Amino acid sequence: MRIVALAGGIGGARFLRGLLAAVGPQDEITVIGNTGDDIHLYGLKVCPDLDTVMYTLGGGIHEEQGWGRADETWSIKAEMKEYGVGPEWFGLGDRDFATHLVRSQMLTAGYSLSQVTEALCVRWNPGVRLLPMSDDRVETHVRITDEQGTRAVHFQEYWVRLHAAVDAEAIIPVGADTAKPAPGVLEAIAEADVILFPPSNPVVSIGTILAVPGIREAVAAAPAPVVGLSPIIGGAPVRGMADKVLAAVGVEATAEAVALNYGPDLIDGWLVDTADEHAVAAVEAAGIACRAVPLLMTDVEATAEMARTALALAEQVRHGS
Ligand code: GDP
Ligand code: CA
């Protein structure tokens, strides 16, 4: 079976670990990763979501934190601070720096982000084919209004420095309109047997991937069933501040509203948590097959069970039952 999954960072990566545990060795998983969170720091290109997927599946992630390297040290950051060079709010540890150095060196030498990602994955051996959504630069910005007036800030500044404490007025994936899908992305979607939307952020992770011209259209036109899992449980994101960015695009932070926002043209099936069983009827009425099952990724086995249910729902949708 050829499975394609669109993925952001932590929610995407944790789901993929369960998916890998649920499938057999003959199944092929292609992950299309969000690069809208990418940021340039100290002259280096940092790709937080690609790295979170790579480290999580490759066994290098800081488990409790969900991002960054295990057994990390922070000497470079401390030295930068002595020079008065920031930003202090963005955590790049020493081990993590090596990844960004290799990536930036290769990009400077003329390799594309897909080629670089493939090269980094040789070390991490994530068990999936990890493709950036695009080789072109896309950076999500968030329009906010605070005491400094109305302005756009980089998504990382909004999320990490400002902790999404101010309202997001608009989400702008800068560069997305002219970005091209990375090599292999459209082919993987067209040839997939199943397409999954993990419980990643629907706006700034999955939404950004779909904003690359051609990707949304390819998913909608794909012969494969498309099944998503809700990142919203009981009216709130399980982790993070997805409600803030959902509000910016006029979508309520409910499992049902997120499904309807993707819509029946894009997704065929949707899983909500048992806490949201009441949402099933409305989602189904919109033409999206829906089931309520436990959706907390408490451990790999619980997550694998979510993945098995998503794959089973895809089969049911495929056979029209
Ligand atoms: P990010 O790039 O690190 O923000 O990660 P993603 O976009 O991939 O995922 C973030 C989303 O994962 C958030 O909206 C969370 O609500 C969701 N999430 C995190 N843990 C869980 C979980 O255990 N279950 C479900 N259903 N969603 C989760
Ligand atoms: Ca992210």
mmCIF file of all heavy atoms in Angstrom, residues 229-263:
data_model
loop_
_atom_site.group_PDB
_atom_site.id
_atom_site.type_symbol
_atom_site.label_atom_id
_atom_site.label_comp_id
_atom_site.label_asym_id
_atom_site.label_seq_id
_atom_site.Cartn_x
_atom_site.Cartn_y
_atom_site.Cartn_z
ATOM 1 N N LEU A 229 -7.597 13.236 10.695
ATOM 2 C CA LEU A 229 -7.811 13.019 12.128
ATOM 3 C C LEU A 229 -7.830 14.381 12.810
ATOM 4 O O LEU A 229 -6.975 15.226 12.540
ATOM 5 C CB LEU A 229 -6.705 12.159 12.737
ATOM 6 C CG LEU A 229 -6.591 10.730 12.179
ATOM 7 C CD1 LEU A 229 -5.576 10.691 11.035
ATOM 8 C CD2 LEU A 229 -6.168 9.761 13.272
ATOM 9 N N SER A 230 -8.779 14.576 13.681
ATOM 10 C CA SER A 230 -8.941 15.904 14.281
ATOM 11 C C SER A 230 -7.855 16.237 15.308
ATOM 12 O O SER A 230 -7.614 15.469 16.237
ATOM 13 C CB SER A 230 -10.302 16.014 14.966
ATOM 14 O OG SER A 230 -10.407 17.300 15.553
ATOM 15 N N PRO A 231 -7.211 17.413 15.152
ATOM 16 C CA PRO A 231 -6.272 17.879 16.175
ATOM 17 C C PRO A 231 -7.019 18.593 17.305
ATOM 18 O O PRO A 231 -6.409 18.971 18.305
ATOM 19 C CB PRO A 231 -5.405 18.873 15.402
ATOM 20 C CG PRO A 231 -6.302 19.426 14.355
ATOM 21 C CD PRO A 231 -7.278 18.332 14.001
ATOM 22 N N ILE A 232 -8.309 18.792 17.112
ATOM 23 C CA ILE A 232 -9.123 19.478 18.109
ATOM 24 C C ILE A 232 -9.958 18.437 18.850
ATOM 25 O O ILE A 232 -10.651 17.632 18.227
ATOM 26 C CB ILE A 232 -10.075 20.499 17.430
ATOM 27 C CG1 ILE A 232 -9.289 21.496 16.566
ATOM 28 C CG2 ILE A 232 -10.950 21.211 18.466
ATOM 29 C CD1 ILE A 232 -8.440 22.482 17.331
ATOM 30 N N ILE A 233 -9.868 18.439 20.167
ATOM 31 C CA ILE A 233 -10.649 17.513 20.986
ATOM 32 C C ILE A 233 -11.401 18.335 22.032
ATOM 33 O O ILE A 233 -10.791 19.133 22.755
ATOM 34 C CB ILE A 233 -9.738 16.464 21.666
ATOM 35 C CG1 ILE A 233 -9.055 15.581 20.598
ATOM 36 C CG2 ILE A 233 -10.542 15.604 22.649
ATOM 37 C CD1 ILE A 233 -8.165 14.478 21.167
ATOM 38 N N GLY A 234 -12.725 18.128 22.069
ATOM 39 C CA GLY A 234 -13.522 18.837 23.075
ATOM 40 C C GLY A 234 -13.430 20.348 22.955
ATOM 41 O O GLY A 234 -13.437 21.061 23.959
ATOM 42 N N GLY A 235 -13.319 20.832 21.737
ATOM 43 C CA GLY A 235 -13.338 22.281 21.525
ATOM 44 C C GLY A 235 -12.020 22.998 21.775
ATOM 45 O O GLY A 235 -11.980 24.222 21.860
ATOM 46 N N ALA A 236 -10.930 22.248 21.897
ATOM 47 C CA ALA A 236 -9.626 22.888 22.109
ATOM 48 C C ALA A 236 -8.522 22.047 21.489
ATOM 49 O O ALA A 236 -8.640 20.828 21.402
ATOM 50 C CB ALA A 236 -9.359 23.062 23.604
ATOM 51 N N PRO A 237 -7.453 22.708 21.051
ATOM 52 C CA PRO A 237 -6.317 21.935 20.553
ATOM 53 C C PRO A 237 -5.723 21.102 21.684
ATOM 54 O O PRO A 237 -5.752 21.526 22.840
ATOM 55 C CB PRO A 237 -5.316 22.988 20.073
ATOM 56 C CG PRO A 237 -5.841 24.315 20.476
ATOM 57 C CD PRO A 237 -7.217 24.155 21.024
ATOM 58 N N VAL A 238 -5.219 19.916 21.368
ATOM 59 C CA VAL A 238 -4.631 19.066 22.396
ATOM 60 C C VAL A 238 -3.350 19.711 22.920
ATOM 61 O O VAL A 238 -3.007 19.609 24.082
ATOM 62 C CB VAL A 238 -4.328 17.664 21.822
ATOM 63 C CG1 VAL A 238 -3.670 16.786 22.872
ATOM 64 C CG2 VAL A 238 -5.600 17.031 21.304
ATOM 65 N N ARG A 239 -2.650 20.397 22.046
ATOM 66 C CA ARG A 239 -1.374 20.992 22.388
ATOM 67 C C ARG A 239 -1.199 22.189 21.470
ATOM 68 O O ARG A 239 -1.633 22.141 20.327
ATOM 69 C CB ARG A 239 -0.304 19.936 22.076
ATOM 70 C CG ARG A 239 1.033 20.158 22.698
ATOM 71 C CD ARG A 239 2.025 19.150 22.157
ATOM 72 N NE ARG A 239 3.345 19.758 22.271
ATOM 73 C CZ ARG A 239 4.346 19.229 22.947
ATOM 74 N NH1 ARG A 239 4.227 18.053 23.495
ATOM 75 N NH2 ARG A 239 5.496 19.845 23.041
ATOM 76 N N GLY A 240 -0.611 23.254 21.963
ATOM 77 C CA GLY A 240 -0.396 24.411 21.098
ATOM 78 C C GLY A 240 -1.591 25.348 21.070
ATOM 79 O O GLY A 240 -2.458 25.285 21.937
ATOM 80 N N MET A 241 -1.609 26.197 20.068
ATOM 81 C CA MET A 241 -2.573 27.307 20.057
ATOM 82 C C MET A 241 -3.328 27.360 18.740
ATOM 83 O O MET A 241 -3.575 28.427 18.187
ATOM 84 C CB MET A 241 -1.805 28.610 20.309
ATOM 85 C CG MET A 241 -1.023 28.547 21.620
ATOM 86 S SD MET A 241 0.546 29.472 21.647
ATOM 87 C CE MET A 241 1.672 28.380 20.815
ATOM 88 N N ALA A 242 -3.708 26.178 18.244
ATOM 89 C CA ALA A 242 -4.375 26.108 16.941
ATOM 90 C C ALA A 242 -5.648 26.933 16.903
ATOM 91 O O ALA A 242 -6.035 27.446 15.848
ATOM 92 C CB ALA A 242 -4.683 24.651 16.582
ATOM 93 N N ASP A 243 -6.301 27.092 18.068
ATOM 94 C CA ASP A 243 -7.538 27.889 18.104
ATOM 95 C C ASP A 243 -7.295 29.328 17.630
ATOM 96 O O ASP A 243 -8.131 29.929 16.973
ATOM 97 C CB ASP A 243 -8.160 27.862 19.506
ATOM 98 C CG ASP A 243 -7.147 28.089 20.622
ATOM 99 O OD1 ASP A 243 -5.945 27.764 20.442
ATOM 100 O OD2 ASP A 243 -7.539 28.607 21.677
ATOM 101 N N LYS A 244 -6.092 29.849 17.938
ATOM 102 C CA LYS A 244 -5.765 31.226 17.537
ATOM 103 C C LYS A 244 -5.697 31.376 16.020
ATOM 104 O O LYS A 244 -6.197 32.352 15.460
ATOM 105 C CB LYS A 244 -4.408 31.631 18.128
ATOM 106 C CG LYS A 244 -4.463 31.888 19.602
ATOM 107 C CD LYS A 244 -5.176 33.190 19.889
ATOM 108 C CE LYS A 244 -5.056 33.548 21.358
ATOM 109 N NZ LYS A 244 -5.503 34.912 21.630
ATOM 110 N N VAL A 245 -5.056 30.428 15.375
ATOM 111 C CA VAL A 245 -4.922 30.553 13.921
ATOM 112 C C VAL A 245 -6.205 30.119 13.211
ATOM 113 O O VAL A 245 -6.503 30.590 12.123
ATOM 114 C CB VAL A 245 -3.674 29.808 13.377
ATOM 115 C CG1 VAL A 245 -2.416 30.552 13.776
ATOM 116 C CG2 VAL A 245 -3.610 28.369 13.829
ATOM 117 N N LEU A 246 -6.986 29.248 13.842
ATOM 118 C CA LEU A 246 -8.299 28.904 13.268
ATOM 119 C C LEU A 246 -9.193 30.139 13.280
ATOM 120 O O LEU A 246 -9.883 30.434 12.299
ATOM 121 C CB LEU A 246 -8.954 27.765 14.056
ATOM 122 C CG LEU A 246 -8.461 26.363 13.717
ATOM 123 C CD1 LEU A 246 -8.905 25.352 14.769
ATOM 124 C CD2 LEU A 246 -8.943 25.932 12.333
ATOM 125 N N ALA A 247 -9.165 30.892 14.388
ATOM 126 C CA ALA A 247 -9.983 32.105 14.487
ATOM 127 C C ALA A 247 -9.623 33.086 13.374
ATOM 128 O O ALA A 247 -10.490 33.746 12.806
ATOM 129 C CB ALA A 247 -9.801 32.750 15.856
ATOM 130 N N ALA A 248 -8.326 33.142 13.045
ATOM 131 C CA ALA A 248 -7.879 34.079 12.007
ATOM 132 C C ALA A 248 -8.468 33.739 10.644
ATOM 133 O O ALA A 248 -8.620 34.620 9.791
ATOM 134 C CB ALA A 248 -6.354 34.076 11.926
ATOM 135 N N VAL A 249 -8.796 32.472 10.427
ATOM 136 C CA VAL A 249 -9.386 32.102 9.134
ATOM 137 C C VAL A 249 -10.894 31.874 9.278
ATOM 138 O O VAL A 249 -11.538 31.319 8.380
ATOM 139 C CB VAL A 249 -8.686 30.866 8.492
ATOM 140 C CG1 VAL A 249 -7.235 31.205 8.162
ATOM 141 C CG2 VAL A 249 -8.738 29.636 9.387
ATOM 142 N N GLY A 250 -11.430 32.305 10.424
ATOM 143 C CA GLY A 250 -12.883 32.263 10.607
ATOM 144 C C GLY A 250 -13.451 30.873 10.835
ATOM 145 O O GLY A 250 -14.604 30.612 10.511
ATOM 146 N N VAL A 251 -12.637 29.988 11.408
ATOM 147 C CA VAL A 251 -13.113 28.630 11.678
ATOM 148 C C VAL A 251 -13.135 28.403 13.188
ATOM 149 O O VAL A 251 -12.163 28.697 13.885
ATOM 150 C CB VAL A 251 -12.198 27.580 10.997
ATOM 151 C CG1 VAL A 251 -12.661 26.168 11.323
ATOM 152 C CG2 VAL A 251 -12.182 27.796 9.486
ATOM 153 N N GLU A 252 -14.251 27.890 13.661
ATOM 154 C CA GLU A 252 -14.399 27.582 15.075
ATOM 155 C C GLU A 252 -13.428 26.457 15.466
ATOM 156 O O GLU A 252 -13.174 25.565 14.657
ATOM 157 C CB GLU A 252 -15.814 27.053 15.287
ATOM 158 C CG GLU A 252 -16.626 27.763 16.345
ATOM 159 C CD GLU A 252 -17.939 27.030 16.543
ATOM 160 O OE1 GLU A 252 -18.671 26.854 15.543
ATOM 161 O OE2 GLU A 252 -18.203 26.610 17.676
ATOM 162 N N ALA A 253 -12.957 26.480 16.705
ATOM 163 C CA ALA A 253 -12.055 25.415 17.159
ATOM 164 C C ALA A 253 -12.874 24.220 17.644
ATOM 165 O O ALA A 253 -12.946 23.932 18.842
ATOM 166 C CB ALA A 253 -11.127 25.924 18.242
ATOM 167 N N THR A 254 -13.507 23.534 16.688
ATOM 168 C CA THR A 254 -14.204 22.290 17.004
ATOM 169 C C THR A 254 -13.814 21.260 15.957
ATOM 170 O O THR A 254 -13.422 21.608 14.831
ATOM 171 C CB THR A 254 -15.743 22.446 16.971
ATOM 172 O OG1 THR A 254 -16.148 22.760 15.627
ATOM 173 C CG2 THR A 254 -16.225 23.530 17.914
ATOM 174 N N ALA A 255 -13.934 19.993 16.338
ATOM 175 C CA ALA A 255 -13.597 18.899 15.424
ATOM 176 C C ALA A 255 -14.463 18.970 14.168
ATOM 177 O O ALA A 255 -14.006 18.698 13.059
ATOM 178 C CB ALA A 255 -13.792 17.561 16.131
ATOM 179 N N GLU A 256 -15.709 19.373 14.371
ATOM 180 C CA GLU A 256 -16.659 19.443 13.266
ATOM 181 C C GLU A 256 -16.330 20.583 12.295
ATOM 182 O O GLU A 256 -16.310 20.410 11.072
ATOM 183 C CB GLU A 256 -18.047 19.644 13.888
ATOM 184 C CG GLU A 256 -19.160 19.965 12.964
ATOM 185 C CD GLU A 256 -20.421 20.340 13.770
ATOM 186 O OE1 GLU A 256 -20.546 19.942 14.944
ATOM 187 O OE2 GLU A 256 -21.271 21.044 13.208
ATOM 188 N N ALA A 257 -16.046 21.777 12.855
ATOM 189 C CA ALA A 257 -15.754 22.935 12.002
ATOM 190 C C ALA A 257 -14.486 22.722 11.184
ATOM 191 O O ALA A 257 -14.408 23.136 10.023
ATOM 192 C CB ALA A 257 -15.634 24.195 12.862
ATOM 193 N N VAL A 258 -13.493 22.043 11.777
ATOM 194 C CA VAL A 258 -12.253 21.795 11.040
ATOM 195 C C VAL A 258 -12.527 20.854 9.860
ATOM 196 O O VAL A 258 -12.053 21.076 8.741
ATOM 197 C CB VAL A 258 -11.156 21.233 11.979
ATOM 198 C CG1 VAL A 258 -9.939 20.772 11.190
ATOM 199 C CG2 VAL A 258 -10.749 22.291 13.002
ATOM 200 N N ALA A 259 -13.355 19.838 10.081
ATOM 201 C CA ALA A 259 -13.716 18.909 8.994
ATOM 202 C C ALA A 259 -14.447 19.653 7.884
ATOM 203 O O ALA A 259 -14.138 19.481 6.696
ATOM 204 C CB ALA A 259 -14.586 17.786 9.536
ATOM 205 N N LEU A 260 -15.422 20.482 8.265
ATOM 206 C CA LEU A 260 -16.217 21.186 7.257
ATOM 207 C C LEU A 260 -15.372 22.205 6.513
ATOM 208 O O LEU A 260 -15.609 22.494 5.344
ATOM 209 C CB LEU A 260 -17.439 21.853 7.895
ATOM 210 C CG LEU A 260 -18.417 20.904 8.598
ATOM 211 C CD1 LEU A 260 -19.689 21.619 9.012
ATOM 212 C CD2 LEU A 260 -18.739 19.694 7.732
ATOM 213 N N ASN A 261 -14.361 22.744 7.207
ATOM 214 C CA ASN A 261 -13.471 23.693 6.534
ATOM 215 C C ASN A 261 -12.615 23.001 5.466
ATOM 216 O O ASN A 261 -12.391 23.547 4.392
ATOM 217 C CB ASN A 261 -12.589 24.385 7.571
ATOM 218 C CG ASN A 261 -11.705 25.446 6.943
ATOM 219 O OD1 ASN A 261 -12.186 26.340 6.259
ATOM 220 N ND2 ASN A 261 -10.407 25.331 7.135
ATOM 221 N N TYR A 262 -12.144 21.781 5.759
ATOM 222 C CA TYR A 262 -11.494 21.014 4.677
ATOM 223 C C TYR A 262 -12.542 20.730 3.601
ATOM 224 O O TYR A 262 -12.295 20.913 2.419
ATOM 225 C CB TYR A 262 -10.935 19.685 5.216
ATOM 226 C CG TYR A 262 -9.655 19.802 6.023
ATOM 227 C CD1 TYR A 262 -9.505 19.097 7.225
ATOM 228 C CD2 TYR A 262 -8.582 20.558 5.574
ATOM 229 C CE1 TYR A 262 -8.327 19.165 7.961
ATOM 230 C CE2 TYR A 262 -7.406 20.630 6.298
ATOM 231 C CZ TYR A 262 -7.281 19.932 7.501
ATOM 232 O OH TYR A 262 -6.117 19.996 8.213
ATOM 233 N N GLY A 263 -13.691 20.268 4.031
ATOM 234 C CA GLY A 263 -14.812 20.074 3.120
ATOM 235 C C GLY A 263 -14.814 18.747 2.396
ATOM 236 O O GLY A 263 -13.768 18.102 2.252
#
